[in-house]
mmCIF file of all heavy atoms in Angstrom:
data_model
loop_
_atom_site.group_PDB
_atom_site.id
_atom_site.type_symbol
_atom_site.label_atom_id
_atom_site.label_comp_id
_atom_site.label_asym_id
_atom_site.label_seq_id
_atom_site.Cartn_x
_atom_site.Cartn_y
_atom_site.Cartn_z
ATOM 1 N N ASN A 1 2.121 219.667 164.896
ATOM 2 C CA ASN A 1 3.117 218.636 164.712
ATOM 3 C C ASN A 1 4.403 219.098 165.376
ATOM 4 O O ASN A 1 4.944 220.133 165.089
ATOM 5 C CB ASN A 1 3.361 218.388 163.198
ATOM 6 C CG ASN A 1 2.156 217.825 162.499
ATOM 7 O OD1 ASN A 1 1.730 216.673 162.831
ATOM 8 N ND2 ASN A 1 1.563 218.523 161.592
ATOM 9 N N ILE A 2 4.935 218.257 166.284
ATOM 10 C CA ILE A 2 6.010 218.668 167.150
ATOM 11 C C ILE A 2 7.209 217.765 166.937
ATOM 12 O O ILE A 2 7.149 216.520 167.165
ATOM 13 C CB ILE A 2 5.586 218.687 168.610
ATOM 14 C CG1 ILE A 2 4.507 219.769 168.827
ATOM 15 C CG2 ILE A 2 6.781 219.070 169.527
ATOM 16 C CD1 ILE A 2 3.956 219.753 170.154
ATOM 17 N N ILE A 3 8.353 218.292 166.568
ATOM 18 C CA ILE A 3 9.539 217.551 166.431
ATOM 19 C C ILE A 3 10.121 217.115 167.774
ATOM 20 O O ILE A 3 10.252 217.923 168.699
ATOM 21 C CB ILE A 3 10.704 218.377 165.734
ATOM 22 C CG1 ILE A 3 10.244 218.813 164.294
ATOM 23 C CG2 ILE A 3 12.004 217.715 165.789
ATOM 24 C CD1 ILE A 3 10.348 217.666 163.293
ATOM 25 N N ARG A 4 10.386 215.796 167.872
ATOM 26 C CA ARG A 4 10.972 215.365 169.099
ATOM 27 C C ARG A 4 12.164 214.379 168.814
ATOM 28 O O ARG A 4 13.246 214.804 168.536
ATOM 29 C CB ARG A 4 9.876 214.687 170.026
ATOM 30 C CG ARG A 4 8.937 215.615 170.680
ATOM 31 C CD ARG A 4 9.525 216.820 171.349
ATOM 32 N NE ARG A 4 10.674 216.582 172.162
ATOM 33 C CZ ARG A 4 11.797 217.321 172.175
ATOM 34 N NH1 ARG A 4 12.022 218.247 171.327
ATOM 35 N NH2 ARG A 4 12.769 216.980 173.001
ATOM 36 N N SER A 5 11.937 213.061 168.847
ATOM 37 C CA SER A 5 13.090 212.173 168.868
ATOM 38 C C SER A 5 13.582 211.736 167.508
ATOM 39 O O SER A 5 13.686 210.588 167.134
ATOM 40 C CB SER A 5 12.676 210.914 169.649
ATOM 41 O OG SER A 5 12.016 211.181 170.891
ATOM 42 N N VAL A 6 13.935 212.742 166.708
ATOM 43 C CA VAL A 6 14.292 212.502 165.267
ATOM 44 C C VAL A 6 15.851 212.338 165.256
ATOM 45 O O VAL A 6 16.519 213.024 164.530
ATOM 46 C CB VAL A 6 13.850 213.653 164.340
ATOM 47 C CG1 VAL A 6 12.299 213.553 164.186
ATOM 48 C CG2 VAL A 6 14.244 215.000 164.859
ATOM 49 N N ARG A 7 16.333 211.353 165.939
ATOM 50 C CA ARG A 7 17.770 211.184 166.138
ATOM 51 C C ARG A 7 18.538 210.889 164.820
ATOM 52 O O ARG A 7 19.812 211.004 164.772
ATOM 53 C CB ARG A 7 18.077 210.088 167.133
ATOM 54 C CG ARG A 7 17.474 210.365 168.479
ATOM 55 C CD ARG A 7 18.165 211.412 169.356
ATOM 56 N NE ARG A 7 17.676 211.430 170.655
ATOM 57 C CZ ARG A 7 16.734 212.310 171.076
ATOM 58 N NH1 ARG A 7 16.200 213.182 170.291
ATOM 59 N NH2 ARG A 7 16.310 212.316 172.318
ATOM 60 N N ASP A 8 17.892 210.417 163.808
ATOM 61 C CA ASP A 8 18.479 210.040 162.584
ATOM 62 C C ASP A 8 18.584 211.093 161.498
ATOM 63 O O ASP A 8 18.954 210.888 160.374
ATOM 64 C CB ASP A 8 17.776 208.741 161.975
ATOM 65 C CG ASP A 8 16.330 208.981 161.625
ATOM 66 O OD1 ASP A 8 15.799 210.097 161.996
ATOM 67 O OD2 ASP A 8 15.746 208.140 160.996
ATOM 68 N N TYR A 9 18.146 212.285 161.889
ATOM 69 C CA TYR A 9 18.024 213.395 160.833
ATOM 70 C C TYR A 9 19.343 213.718 160.220
ATOM 71 O O TYR A 9 19.432 214.091 159.098
ATOM 72 C CB TYR A 9 17.269 214.610 161.377
ATOM 73 C CG TYR A 9 18.235 215.494 162.107
ATOM 74 C CD1 TYR A 9 18.928 216.530 161.502
ATOM 75 C CD2 TYR A 9 18.337 215.490 163.502
ATOM 76 C CE1 TYR A 9 19.780 217.352 162.143
ATOM 77 C CE2 TYR A 9 19.168 216.317 164.218
ATOM 78 C CZ TYR A 9 19.890 217.272 163.514
ATOM 79 O OH TYR A 9 20.717 218.071 164.276
ATOM 80 N N ALA A 10 20.414 213.653 160.947
ATOM 81 C CA ALA A 10 21.741 214.208 160.566
ATOM 82 C C ALA A 10 22.207 213.470 159.319
ATOM 83 O O ALA A 10 22.790 213.974 158.408
ATOM 84 C CB ALA A 10 22.732 214.163 161.660
ATOM 85 N N GLY A 11 22.031 212.151 159.285
ATOM 86 C CA GLY A 11 22.498 211.344 158.232
ATOM 87 C C GLY A 11 21.613 211.478 156.973
ATOM 88 O O GLY A 11 22.009 210.993 155.842
ATOM 89 N N ARG A 12 20.485 212.129 157.140
ATOM 90 C CA ARG A 12 19.573 212.294 155.992
ATOM 91 C C ARG A 12 19.001 213.760 156.026
ATOM 92 O O ARG A 12 17.837 213.982 155.779
ATOM 93 C CB ARG A 12 18.387 211.258 156.135
ATOM 94 C CG ARG A 12 18.881 209.824 156.265
ATOM 95 C CD ARG A 12 17.791 208.958 156.787
ATOM 96 N NE ARG A 12 16.538 208.941 156.008
ATOM 97 C CZ ARG A 12 15.422 208.302 156.356
ATOM 98 N NH1 ARG A 12 15.379 207.737 157.576
ATOM 99 N NH2 ARG A 12 14.421 208.335 155.626
ATOM 100 N N ARG A 13 19.846 214.642 156.216
ATOM 101 C CA ARG A 13 19.465 216.025 156.490
ATOM 102 C C ARG A 13 18.681 216.639 155.356
ATOM 103 O O ARG A 13 17.600 217.200 155.536
ATOM 104 C CB ARG A 13 20.672 216.959 156.781
ATOM 105 C CG ARG A 13 20.286 218.372 157.077
ATOM 106 C CD ARG A 13 21.548 219.189 157.558
ATOM 107 N NE ARG A 13 21.174 220.609 157.778
ATOM 108 C CZ ARG A 13 21.446 221.585 156.892
ATOM 109 N NH1 ARG A 13 21.946 221.310 155.733
ATOM 110 N NH2 ARG A 13 21.119 222.838 157.227
ATOM 111 N N ASP A 14 19.087 216.415 154.136
ATOM 112 C CA ASP A 14 18.325 217.024 152.958
ATOM 113 C C ASP A 14 16.979 216.430 152.922
ATOM 114 O O ASP A 14 15.984 217.181 152.600
ATOM 115 C CB ASP A 14 19.133 216.791 151.607
ATOM 116 C CG ASP A 14 20.404 217.649 151.590
ATOM 117 O OD1 ASP A 14 20.504 218.583 152.345
ATOM 118 O OD2 ASP A 14 21.246 217.338 150.710
ATOM 119 N N GLU A 15 16.875 215.114 153.087
ATOM 120 C CA GLU A 15 15.600 214.487 153.029
ATOM 121 C C GLU A 15 14.709 214.951 154.167
ATOM 122 O O GLU A 15 13.500 215.228 154.009
ATOM 123 C CB GLU A 15 15.725 213.027 153.102
ATOM 124 C CG GLU A 15 14.455 212.210 153.099
ATOM 125 C CD GLU A 15 14.708 210.669 153.227
ATOM 126 O OE1 GLU A 15 15.873 210.288 153.285
ATOM 127 O OE2 GLU A 15 13.679 209.978 153.360
ATOM 128 N N PHE A 16 15.212 215.126 155.350
ATOM 129 C CA PHE A 16 14.524 215.555 156.527
ATOM 130 C C PHE A 16 14.002 216.927 156.367
ATOM 131 O O PHE A 16 12.849 217.210 156.713
ATOM 132 C CB PHE A 16 15.454 215.365 157.767
ATOM 133 C CG PHE A 16 14.865 216.104 159.028
ATOM 134 C CD1 PHE A 16 13.890 215.347 159.744
ATOM 135 C CD2 PHE A 16 15.340 217.285 159.487
ATOM 136 C CE1 PHE A 16 13.334 215.889 160.860
ATOM 137 C CE2 PHE A 16 14.788 217.742 160.618
ATOM 138 C CZ PHE A 16 13.755 217.065 161.343
ATOM 139 N N LEU A 17 14.841 217.859 155.843
ATOM 140 C CA LEU A 17 14.411 219.277 155.708
ATOM 141 C C LEU A 17 13.330 219.366 154.587
ATOM 142 O O LEU A 17 12.414 220.168 154.739
ATOM 143 C CB LEU A 17 15.624 220.132 155.339
ATOM 144 C CG LEU A 17 16.618 220.314 156.529
ATOM 145 C CD1 LEU A 17 17.760 221.123 156.040
ATOM 146 C CD2 LEU A 17 15.917 220.940 157.734
ATOM 147 N N ALA A 18 13.484 218.579 153.508
ATOM 148 C CA ALA A 18 12.431 218.591 152.457
ATOM 149 C C ALA A 18 11.115 218.129 153.083
ATOM 150 O O ALA A 18 10.020 218.760 152.761
ATOM 151 C CB ALA A 18 12.902 217.694 151.310
ATOM 152 N N TRP A 19 11.164 217.098 153.893
ATOM 153 C CA TRP A 19 9.938 216.634 154.568
ATOM 154 C C TRP A 19 9.391 217.737 155.440
ATOM 155 O O TRP A 19 8.196 218.067 155.466
ATOM 156 C CB TRP A 19 10.220 215.341 155.384
ATOM 157 C CG TRP A 19 9.182 215.077 156.357
ATOM 158 C CD1 TRP A 19 8.025 214.465 156.195
ATOM 159 C CD2 TRP A 19 9.221 215.529 157.801
ATOM 160 N NE1 TRP A 19 7.282 214.358 157.367
ATOM 161 C CE2 TRP A 19 8.013 215.018 158.382
ATOM 162 C CE3 TRP A 19 10.124 216.117 158.544
ATOM 163 C CZ2 TRP A 19 7.680 215.236 159.683
ATOM 164 C CZ3 TRP A 19 9.844 216.351 159.853
ATOM 165 C CH2 TRP A 19 8.659 215.898 160.475
ATOM 166 N N ALA A 20 10.266 218.329 156.245
ATOM 167 C CA ALA A 20 9.857 219.387 157.226
ATOM 168 C C ALA A 20 9.129 220.529 156.511
ATOM 169 O O ALA A 20 8.084 221.003 157.035
ATOM 170 C CB ALA A 20 11.008 219.960 158.010
ATOM 171 N N ARG A 21 9.585 220.919 155.364
ATOM 172 C CA ARG A 21 8.936 222.032 154.612
ATOM 173 C C ARG A 21 7.571 221.647 154.109
ATOM 174 O O ARG A 21 6.806 222.577 153.765
ATOM 175 C CB ARG A 21 9.905 222.484 153.483
ATOM 176 C CG ARG A 21 11.118 223.220 153.988
ATOM 177 C CD ARG A 21 11.901 223.852 152.838
ATOM 178 N NE ARG A 21 12.609 222.842 152.063
ATOM 179 C CZ ARG A 21 13.925 222.464 152.365
ATOM 180 N NH1 ARG A 21 14.535 223.069 153.313
ATOM 181 N NH2 ARG A 21 14.484 221.539 151.600
ATOM 182 N N SER A 22 7.276 220.390 154.032
ATOM 183 C CA SER A 22 6.026 219.981 153.545
ATOM 184 C C SER A 22 4.960 219.772 154.683
ATOM 185 O O SER A 22 3.766 219.478 154.359
ATOM 186 C CB SER A 22 6.186 218.609 152.791
ATOM 187 O OG SER A 22 6.353 217.516 153.742
ATOM 188 N N VAL A 23 5.341 219.887 155.871
ATOM 189 C CA VAL A 23 4.466 219.597 157.012
ATOM 190 C C VAL A 23 3.838 220.908 157.539
ATOM 191 O O VAL A 23 4.539 221.798 157.929
ATOM 192 C CB VAL A 23 5.236 218.897 158.177
ATOM 193 C CG1 VAL A 23 4.351 218.634 159.368
ATOM 194 C CG2 VAL A 23 5.849 217.577 157.588
ATOM 195 N N PRO A 24 2.505 220.932 157.580
ATOM 196 C CA PRO A 24 1.832 222.105 158.159
ATOM 197 C C PRO A 24 1.954 222.166 159.729
ATOM 198 O O PRO A 24 2.069 221.114 160.324
ATOM 199 C CB PRO A 24 0.394 221.904 157.701
ATOM 200 C CG PRO A 24 0.205 220.453 157.591
ATOM 201 C CD PRO A 24 1.524 219.905 157.153
ATOM 202 N N ARG A 25 1.945 223.354 160.213
ATOM 203 C CA ARG A 25 1.843 223.604 161.711
ATOM 204 C C ARG A 25 2.975 222.789 162.377
ATOM 205 O O ARG A 25 2.693 222.084 163.409
ATOM 206 C CB ARG A 25 0.473 223.231 162.207
ATOM 207 C CG ARG A 25 -0.592 224.075 161.548
ATOM 208 C CD ARG A 25 -2.008 223.599 162.040
ATOM 209 N NE ARG A 25 -2.371 222.335 161.520
ATOM 210 C CZ ARG A 25 -2.799 222.063 160.297
ATOM 211 N NH1 ARG A 25 -2.979 223.049 159.408
ATOM 212 N NH2 ARG A 25 -3.102 220.819 159.932
ATOM 213 N N LEU A 26 4.167 222.935 161.912
ATOM 214 C CA LEU A 26 5.309 222.174 162.453
ATOM 215 C C LEU A 26 6.142 223.096 163.429
ATOM 216 O O LEU A 26 6.390 224.262 163.116
ATOM 217 C CB LEU A 26 6.264 221.736 161.375
ATOM 218 C CG LEU A 26 7.513 220.916 161.723
ATOM 219 C CD1 LEU A 26 7.023 219.539 162.254
ATOM 220 C CD2 LEU A 26 8.440 220.701 160.617
ATOM 221 N N LEU A 27 6.377 222.497 164.556
ATOM 222 C CA LEU A 27 7.269 223.181 165.628
ATOM 223 C C LEU A 27 8.365 222.291 166.034
ATOM 224 O O LEU A 27 8.048 221.157 166.369
ATOM 225 C CB LEU A 27 6.372 223.662 166.832
ATOM 226 C CG LEU A 27 5.267 224.637 166.552
ATOM 227 C CD1 LEU A 27 4.445 224.871 167.814
ATOM 228 C CD2 LEU A 27 5.881 225.973 166.057
ATOM 229 N N ASN A 28 9.553 222.832 166.131
ATOM 230 C CA ASN A 28 9.925 224.162 165.657
ATOM 231 C C ASN A 28 9.771 224.248 164.207
ATOM 232 O O ASN A 28 9.649 223.231 163.492
ATOM 233 C CB ASN A 28 11.351 224.530 166.154
ATOM 234 C CG ASN A 28 11.310 224.790 167.592
ATOM 235 O OD1 ASN A 28 10.467 225.478 168.173
ATOM 236 N ND2 ASN A 28 12.439 224.430 168.277
ATOM 237 N N GLN A 29 9.805 225.507 163.628
ATOM 238 C CA GLN A 29 9.452 225.665 162.287
ATOM 239 C C GLN A 29 10.643 225.196 161.348
ATOM 240 O O GLN A 29 11.758 225.137 161.707
ATOM 241 C CB GLN A 29 9.287 227.137 162.056
ATOM 242 C CG GLN A 29 7.999 227.667 162.794
ATOM 243 C CD GLN A 29 7.867 229.169 162.793
ATOM 244 O OE1 GLN A 29 8.579 229.858 162.083
ATOM 245 N NE2 GLN A 29 7.013 229.726 163.599
ATOM 246 N N PRO A 30 10.298 224.830 160.106
ATOM 247 C CA PRO A 30 11.295 224.295 159.143
ATOM 248 C C PRO A 30 12.495 225.144 158.985
ATOM 249 O O PRO A 30 13.632 224.606 158.902
ATOM 250 C CB PRO A 30 10.473 224.141 157.808
ATOM 251 C CG PRO A 30 9.036 223.954 158.299
ATOM 252 C CD PRO A 30 8.972 224.800 159.473
ATOM 253 N N GLU A 31 12.328 226.452 158.832
ATOM 254 C CA GLU A 31 13.423 227.321 158.630
ATOM 255 C C GLU A 31 14.387 227.300 159.896
ATOM 256 O O GLU A 31 15.607 227.338 159.707
ATOM 257 C CB GLU A 31 12.967 228.828 158.391
ATOM 258 C CG GLU A 31 12.109 228.938 157.115
ATOM 259 C CD GLU A 31 10.668 228.746 157.351
ATOM 260 O OE1 GLU A 31 10.325 228.252 158.473
ATOM 261 O OE2 GLU A 31 9.871 229.099 156.496
ATOM 262 N N GLN A 32 13.789 227.186 161.026
ATOM 263 C CA GLN A 32 14.617 227.158 162.230
ATOM 264 C C GLN A 32 15.377 225.805 162.323
ATOM 265 O O GLN A 32 16.545 225.805 162.757
ATOM 266 C CB GLN A 32 13.682 227.280 163.473
ATOM 267 C CG GLN A 32 13.006 228.685 163.574
ATOM 268 C CD GLN A 32 11.868 228.710 164.419
ATOM 269 O OE1 GLN A 32 11.295 227.655 164.851
ATOM 270 N NE2 GLN A 32 11.448 229.865 164.869
#
């Protein structure tokens, strides 16, 4: 799973990061 055009993440950062931590094999990685 590859992060690309997630232009709206800044306005929903907490929600976005919570989602990222739930996604397997995500690049770049959630901590990054």
Side-chain angles (χ1 to χ4, degrees):
N1 293 296
I2 299 176
I3 297 286
R4 287 316 308 136
S5 314
V6 291
R7 303 285 189 263
D8 60 349
Y9 82 84
R12 304 162 61 187
R13 180 172 179 262
D14 289 346
E15 180 185 353
F16 173 74
L17 292 177
W19 163 82
R21 287 188 286 268
S22 73
V23 177
R25 300 176 292 281
L26 183 68
L27 297 175
N28 285 322
Q29 298 169 9
E31 297 90 347
Q32 296 163 342

